[in-house]
Amino acid sequence: MIDDDEMDFELEPDEEWDSMDYISDMADSSRSMMMDVVYSSIVNNKIEVVNSMTITSKKLGAIEHVLSFFEELEDYEKCTELKKIIDKIKE
């Protein structure tokens, strides 16, 4: 357990610190983490994803949304994996 004496916090605000930038960075980071989790769930459960009873158009729309996120990041390895799953669903 950490004692209050061991905590070293500056109580004076940093003049360069911008709370709105911090919040924006947190939102971007959270979205990225969420998309990584969604991606992992999709690729680690390919058979279940392809064979799920979800309406095909909704399933494709969701995966294409994840694909577009990774296209923006130019993470083409993930895009390739998602594209393979999309193609399999369309068969």
Side-chain angles (χ1 to χ4, degrees), residues 1-42:
M1 183 168 188
I2 298 175
D3 294 333
D4 287 343
D5 295 337
E6 295 175 21
M7 300 178 99
D8 185 23
F9 290 112
E10 277 189 46
L11 298 178
E12 296 297 318
D14 184 352
E15 291 179 24
E16 295 179 25
W17 187 73
D18 184 344
S19 62
M20 293 309 292
D21 283 345
Y22 178 77
I23 292 169
S24 178
D25 289 346
M26 289 289 292
D28 291 342
S29 176
S30 294
R31 182 164 190 248
S32 182
M33 285 188 292
M34 180 196 68
M35 291 303 243
D36 281 333
V37 168
V38 171
Y39 169 80
S40 293
S41 296
I42 292 169

Side-chain angles (χ1 to χ4, degrees), residues 28-79:
D28 291 342
S29 176
S30 294
R31 182 164 190 248
S32 182
M33 285 188 292
M34 180 196 68
M35 291 303 243
D36 281 333
V37 168
V38 171
Y39 169 80
S40 293
S41 296
I42 292 169
V43 298
N44 291 328
N45 298 287
K46 294 173 191 167
I47 294 170
E48 291 85 354
V49 169
V50 170
N51 295 323
S52 77
M53 300 301 290
T54 304
I55 298 169
T56 301
S57 62
K58 289 186 183 252
K59 189 174 4 180
L60 289 172
I63 298 171
E64 287 167 351
H65 178 75
V66 177
L67 175 68
S68 68
F69 174 81
F70 288 110
E71 282 176 339
E72 288 178 27
L73 297 178
E74 297 181 2
D75 191 338
Y76 299 120
E77 186 175 314
K78 289 181 179 176
C79 294

